[in-house]
Amino acid sequence: MHDRFYLRLLSSLYISTFFIRASFGIMLATLPIYLNITSEFIGYGIISAASPLFEMGTVLFIGAVVDRYGRKLVLLSGLTTAALLLFFLALTQNFYLIFCLNAAHGIAAGAILVSSLALLTDYAPEHQRGREMGAFDAFNMLGWVVGYALGALFLEFFKNNLGMTFLIAGIMALFGCLYCYLNITEPKKHDILCQKICSRNIIDVLKQRSIILLTLPWFIVFMIIGAVMTFLTVSTAQGGILSISPVLLSGIICAAGIVLITTQVIYGRLSDKYGRLPIMLIGTLGFVGVMTVLGIGYGLAPSTDGEAVKNSIIRFWPLLGIFGFMALAFGPSALSSLADEAAETKRGVTMAVYSIVISAGMFIGVPAVAAIFDTYGGPGVLTFMIACGIAMLLLMIARYIQLKHQKKQPTI
C-alpha cells in the first residue's frame, strides 16, 4: 500500500510539474511574437520579469502557508490559477494587462514549486532523495524545453492566430491540476505542520548559513537560464545571431530534452551514494565550461555573421557535449542538499527561499540580457554568460571552504 501511495505521489508531482512548465515554456516562446516585438527587446524583458518579481515578493508567505495548512491545498491553488491565467492571455495583447497576468503567473508558479518540493522532501527517504529530486528536476526542465519547442512550432502553425497557443497551454496546465487532485494525499500532514504562521519561522530559516550557501548558486544558474532563454527567443524572432528557424530550434531543444530524465536520475543517485557536494562541483565546472567554450567559439568566428558564429561554435561540439553533461549534475545534488538541511516544520519556507533566489536570477537575468543584446549584441550576451559561470564557480568554492572549516571545529 505504501509503495502504491508513493508511486502515485511521485507520478503526480512529476506529471503536474511537466505540464505546468511546458505551458510556461509555450508562453515564453510565443509571447514576444504575439506582442509583435521585433526590436527594443527591453520592453519584452520587463514584461517577462513581472513573473519572477512578484514570485519573489510573495513566496515567503506562500511557504509559511504551506507549512501551516498543508502542501496539496497550495499546490492545487497554484495549478488552477496558472491555467486560468493562460486562458486570459489569449484574450488580450495589451502590455499593461499582460504585465499583470504575468505577475499573477509568478505568484502561482511560486505556490506550485514550493508545495511540490515540500511534498517531495516530506515523503522521499533520505537515501533516495537525490534520485527523486533528480527526476523532479528532469521533469521540470523537460517541461520547459518541450514547451519552448512546442511554442516555436506553434509560431509556424498558428502564425495567424497566436492566441491559440495560450489556449493549448491552459488545457495542458488544467490536465496537470486534475491529475494532481486525483492522486496526491498527505498521510503525514498533521505531524509536519507548524501550529501557526509567524515571522519567527521565516527568520530562523533565513539565518541558517547552510540554507543561504546552498541557494546562492541557484541565483547564478537562473541568471544563465534567463540569458539563454531570452537570447534564443530574440534570436529566433528576428532571425539574428543564431539564424535558426523555429522548427529547427524545436528539434534541437527536444533532442536535448531526451537526455534529461536519465542524466538527472543518475546524477541524483550518485549524490545519494557519494555525497552532494562533489556532484554539485561537477555541475558547476560544467556550467563554467559551457559558457567558456561558447565565448571562445564566438571570439574565433571570422565575422559576426550568424552563420559564421554558429559554425565556429559547432566545431567545439565535443567540449560542449562533455561540459553540458557535467552541468546537468548540479540540479539534483543541489536540491537534495537543500532538502537534507530543511527542518521538518519549515520545509515550505526553506523551499520558498530557493524560489526567491531562482526568481531573482530570472528577474535580473532576463531584462539584463535583453538590454545587453539591444546595446552590445551577441558579444555582450556571451561575455555576460561567461561572467555568470565564473561567479558560480567562486560561490561553490566558498561553500567548499565553509564546509571544510566546519569539520575542523571542535564538537561541544
Side-chain angles (χ1 to χ4, degrees):
M1 182 63 69
H2 178 267
D3 289 343
R4 184 180 176 186
F5 150 76
Y6 190 55
L7 290 174
R8 289 178 65 185
L9 174 71
L10 291 181
S11 68
S12 297
L13 291 177
Y14 297 160
I15 289 174
S16 62
T17 296
F18 172 80
F19 276 101
I20 197 66
R21 296 306 175 195
S23 67
F24 287 178
I26 290 172
M27 178 184 70
L28 183 65
T30 57
L31 192 58
I33 315 303
Y34 180 66
L35 296 175
N36 197 30
I37 297 175
T38 57
S39 62
E40 297 299 327
F41 291 99
I42 189 64
Y44 169 66
I46 291 172
I47 288 176
S48 299
S51 178
L53 174 63
F54 279 79
E55 183 175 346
M56 280 191 295
T58 59
V59 76
L60 275 178
F61 175 75
I62 291 171
V65 172
V66 166
D67 286 333
R68 176 64 186 91
Y69 296 106
R71 304 8 175 164
K72 183 176 180 178
L73 174 65
V74 178
L75 177 57
L76 291 175
S77 299
L79 289 169
T80 304
T81 301
L84 293 176
L85 291 170
L86 284 165
F87 290 126
F88 291 147
L89 274 177
L91 303 177
T92 180
Q93 290 179 282
N94 182 279
F95 271 55
Y96 299 104
L97 287 177
I98 288 180
F99 179 89
C100 294
L101 290 173
N102 214 26
H105 231 258
I107 298 172
I112 294 165
L113 181 63
V114 168
S115 54
S116 295
L117 288 175
L119 269 169
L120 201 53
T121 304
D122 291 340
Y123 297 104
E126 188 169 346
H127 67 280
Q128 295 177 196
R129 193 170 284 158
R131 185 187 70 182
E132 317 301 25
M133 286 291 183
F136 178 87
D137 202 40
F139 277 96
N140 189 25
M141 290 192 291
L142 190 62
W144 277 112
V145 296
V146 169
Y148 193 90
L150 286 173
L153 287 174
F154 290 163
L155 291 177
E156 294 287 329
F157 296 138
F158 301 113
K159 60 177 62 177
N160 296 322
N161 185 17
L162 285 180
M164 282 293 299
T165 65
F166 303 119
L167 295 178
I168 295 172
I171 292 170
M172 293 171 63
L174 280 180
F175 176 82
C177 180
L178 178 62
Y179 192 90
C180 180
Y181 173 76
L182 294 175
N183 288 285
I184 286 184
T185 57
E186 295 182 86
K188 292 168 56 177
K189 178 177 179 178
H190 297 292
D191 297 329
I192 58 179
L193 296 182
C194 61
Q195 296 301 310
K196 61 180 180 178
I197 296 177
C198 63
S199 59
R200 186 73 232 170
N201 288 347
I202 297 174
I203 293 171
D204 287 344
V205 172
L206 293 176
K207 286 169 61 178
Q208 281 186 256
R209 182 176 298 178
S210 59
I211 298 297
I212 300 303
L213 289 176
L214 284 170
T215 52
L216 278 176
W218 284 104
F219 175 80
I220 304 298
V221 169
F222 276 82
M223 286 271 285
I224 295 172
I225 290 174
V228 171
M229 297 298 278
T230 302
F231 193 46
L232 286 176
T233 299
V234 299
S235 297
T236 303
Q238 64 179 26
I241 183 172
L242 296 180
S243 299
I244 297 177
S245 71
V247 174
L248 178 59
L249 181 61
S250 298
I252 293 172
I253 292 175
C254 283
I258 291 173
V259 304
L260 287 176
I261 297 291
T262 52
T263 55
Q264 292 300 277
V265 171
I266 290 171
Y267 278 130
R269 193 70 190 92
L270 289 174
S271 76
D272 290 331
K273 186 174 182 180
Y274 298 108
R276 314 298 190 201
L277 187 61
I279 309 302
M280 287 173 66
L281 286 171
I282 290 173
T284 301
L285 291 173
F287 274 109
V288 175
V290 168
M291 298 301 104
T292 302
V293 171
L294 287 175
I296 292 172
Y298 194 98
L300 294 178
S303 71
T304 57
D305 174 71
E307 191 67 22
V309 172
K310 182 176 67 174
N311 291 334
S312 178
I313 292 174
I314 287 176
R315 62 178 166 162
F316 294 105
W317 66 266
L319 285 175
L320 286 173
I322 292 170
F323 286 127
F325 273 105
M326 289 174 62
L328 292 173
F330 183 81
S333 53
L335 276 176
S336 303
S337 297
L338 190 62
D340 294 342
E341 295 287 338
E344 194 171 62
T345 59
K346 299 172 185 174
R347 286 170 178 161
V349 173
T350 300
M351 296 307 169
V353 175
Y354 162 76
S355 180
I356 287 174
V357 171
I358 66 175
S359 297
M362 290 291 284
F363 172 67
I364 294 173
V366 172
V369 171
I372 290 170
F373 190 88
D374 285 341
T375 306
Y376 301 106
V381 173
L382 288 171
T383 301
F384 174 81
M385 291 165 69
I386 292 171
C388 284
I390 294 171
M392 184 179 171
L393 178 60
L394 293 175
L395 283 171
M396 287 304 302
I397 292 172
R399 166 68 176 163
Y400 170 78
I401 293 172
Q402 189 262 342
L403 285 177
K404 191 174 181 180
H405 179 72
Q406 275 186 347
K407 289 181 181 179
K408 291 182 178 179
Q409 295 298 314
T411 304
I412 299 177

